[in-house]
Amino acid sequence: MNTRKFTYIITIVVGLFLFGMGTVFLYYANSITGADGSNAVPAILEGLNATTNKEPMNFFLLVGDKSSGNTDSMLVANYNPEKKQISIVTIPRDTKVKLKNNILPKINAAYAAGGRNHEGARYAAEIVSNLTGININYYVHINISAIKKITDMLGGVYFDVPVDMKYDDPSQNLHINLKKGYQLLDGDKVEQLLRFRKPNGDRYTKELKEFYDGSDIKRTEMQMKFIKEFIKQKLKVQNIPKLNPVLNYAFQNVITNMTLSDALKMTSGLISISPDNFNSFRLDGEDKVINKGWYYVYNGNIINIETKESLPAADIVNEYFYSANGIAIPSGELYVPTESNDDEDEVKAPSTSKKTPAIKKQNPSNTDTDTKGTSKG
């Protein structure tokens, strides 16, 4: 593998894991500056360090399934080299939006509505940009099956599963059966952890209710805990021998608009960021039934996952998700759905008043949201 291709692959994977599953691959490379000249990594590092870009950049990550076109997880991440910080905001997959072609108006259907591949990723980025007010510079799409494979290639991840998780949906070929306790999770178990949010038939135990209430919000919080643990465990020199095959596999399973030039500009300076130095947010709102379908109705605020403080989106975006430009820039007023249970939506700017999250009803599915709004998995 030549140096340019190797560099490109590294930066593509950085875009994926730095803002979705962690910064592991880039740190692998940066942790071995003392390697001898026969290794390609020092040459890569020289190229990275020779190019400096102090401008913050926003990455839009979609985790989905090629067969359905739906995305199971979405987030926007900001890399700020000046402040040496990373900020992540998750977009609940059932967030109510307006989509073209009369597609079910949920954000997880935006990728399919846009035509999938690069067109779908760009369209979804535009929808999220108008929803949040965030300028998006890059998009990265990966399938859940690829995440499972990469996890296995890296030898799994140790994680303290907080409670027994049990759920079966043969129609979706989804079978979750995780036991409580600190354990090594392979790719299959990682998928189970990332997708679980409720038991069959709402059969909650007292212990389970402490961690899950049936909403996608609780699932998102668990995903953020896993991402942090993934980063901590994989930033180790001994993982270097596994890097080449993982990079090659990731390169073949990612859809992104990043170029080598883009990648070189954004990677310089990442070595100075601690994997724990990032801020976690999510869109604020509540679950509601609209026309017999489950939706997450965004209220125009963004909530800090750690502090639980909910502030107007504009305030959070200006402080944590600023970027001067992008491929997706908000056009006009931001879209915030009406709270009424009908088909009429209104267009208005995010609220300027503080709100606290209030979940009235929960989405009953662990699986991909259906395309009919019937509240089935």
Side-chain angles (χ1 to χ4, degrees):
M1 181 186 301
N2 61 47
T3 299
R4 286 178 63 83
K5 180 180 178 182
F6 194 77
T7 303
Y8 182 74
I9 294 174
I10 285 180
T11 51
I12 290 297
V13 176
V14 167
L16 164 66
F17 280 97
L18 175 60
F19 304 119
M21 294 297 291
T23 56
V24 57
F25 297 139
L26 180 68
Y27 281 92
Y28 284 159
N30 289 333
S31 67
I32 58 171
T33 54
D36 59 46
S38 62
N39 194 309
V41 174
I44 294 171
L45 292 176
E46 182 179 354
L48 296 180
N49 292 328
T51 307
T52 302
N53 185 355
K54 297 297 183 181
E55 292 299 319
M57 286 168 282
N58 290 314
F59 288 73
F60 177 45
L61 176 69
L62 308 92
V63 179
D65 183 341
K66 282 185 177 180
S67 62
S68 70
N70 285 346
T71 50
D72 196 58
S73 298
M74 276 188 187
L75 60 86
V76 177
N78 175 275
Y79 161 53
N80 190 318
E82 194 70 36
K83 295 182 179 180
K84 297 182 179 180
Q85 75 176 11
I86 298 166
S87 300
I88 299 174
V89 57
T90 58
I91 316 295
R93 66 180 188 174
D94 293 330
T95 300
K96 192 173 188 294
V97 294
K98 290 180 178 178
L99 299 177
K100 62 184 179 181
N101 300 326
N102 295 317
I103 298 294
L104 182 74
K106 294 186 179 184
I107 192 62
N108 77 325
Y111 176 70
R116 306 191 186 190
N117 297 315
H118 289 280
E119 293 79 8
R122 181 183 289 272
Y123 178 67
E126 293 171 355
I127 296 297
V128 169
S129 180
N130 279 323
L131 189 72
T132 61
I134 296 175
N135 291 345
I136 295 175
N137 305 96
Y138 304 101
Y139 56 78
V140 180
H141 181 283
I142 188 171
N143 295 316
I144 188 69
S145 59
I147 291 178
K148 292 168 60 177
K149 176 67 173 179
I150 291 172
T151 299
D152 287 334
M153 294 174 75
L154 290 172
V157 179
Y158 282 96
F159 189 78
D160 189 7
V161 179
V163 64
D164 288 349
M165 302 178 187
K166 177 70 175 177
Y167 180 87
D168 286 290
D169 185 354
S171 66
Q172 298 284 342
N173 194 27
L174 179 65
H175 305 283
I176 300 174
N177 187 16
L178 290 178
K179 298 299 182 182
K180 175 182 177 180
Y182 188 75
Q183 58 193 281
L184 179 65
L185 302 181
D186 60 14
D188 184 63
K189 290 183 178 179
V190 164
E191 180 187 13
Q192 294 178 47
L193 176 73
L194 297 180
R195 296 186 68 176
F196 181 82
R197 62 175 170 181
K198 70 180 290 291
N200 289 97
D202 293 330
R203 293 192 291 269
Y204 286 93
T205 64
K206 181 178 180 181
E207 186 177 32
L208 184 58
K209 285 185 177 180
E210 295 180 14
F211 300 95
Y212 291 92
D213 60 6
S215 70
D216 201 44
I217 302 307
K218 291 295 184 180
R219 186 181 72 146
T220 296
E221 292 176 358
M222 189 63 64
Q223 290 173 346
M224 295 301 294
K225 291 179 182 178
F226 174 80
I227 290 172
K228 292 181 180 180
E229 195 60 34
F230 185 98
I231 295 171
K232 290 178 182 178
Q233 292 182 32
K234 299 308 171 181
L235 305 186
K236 297 180 180 180
V237 176
Q238 57 263 39
N239 286 321
I240 291 298
K242 304 175 184 178
L243 181 60
N244 255 352
V246 171
L247 290 175
N248 278 307
Y249 177 81
F251 182 72
Q252 297 169 5
N253 289 274
V254 169
I255 296 171
T256 182
N257 64 323
M258 290 180 66
T259 66
L260 178 59
S261 176
D262 293 333
L264 288 173
K265 291 178 181 179
M266 67 80 96
T267 50
S268 180
L270 284 175
I271 57 175
S272 62
I273 297 180
S274 165
D276 289 324
N277 186 23
F278 66 84
N279 308 291
S280 304
F281 303 90
R282 66 167 169 81
L283 299 191
D284 197 359
E286 59 185 351
D287 284 330
K288 290 191 174 184
V289 176
I290 302 177
N291 292 328
K292 299 181 180 180
W294 289 90
Y295 293 86
Y296 185 76
V297 180
Y298 171 51
N299 64 20
N301 280 15
I302 293 178
I303 186 169
N304 187 311
I305 292 178
E306 299 296 330
T307 67
K308 307 303 181 184
E309 184 178 23
S310 180
L311 295 172
D315 294 350
I316 299 297
V317 171
N318 288 338
E319 183 172 356
Y320 296 98
F321 296 92
Y322 170 78
S323 180
N325 49 48
I327 61 161
I329 299 176
S331 57
E333 294 183 302
L334 304 186
Y335 169 75
V336 179
T338 177
E339 295 185 359
S340 61
N341 289 353
D342 54 38
D343 289 327
E344 297 297 320
D345 292 324
E346 61 184 358
V347 178
K348 60 182 180 180
S351 167
T352 57
S353 61
K354 294 185 179 181
K355 296 183 180 180
T356 56
I359 305 301
K360 292 184 178 180
K361 297 181 179 179
Q362 311 304 341
N363 189 315
S365 174
N366 283 301
T367 60
D368 288 337
T369 303
D370 72 320
T371 57
K372 298 180 180 179
T374 60
S375 80
K376 293 182 180 179

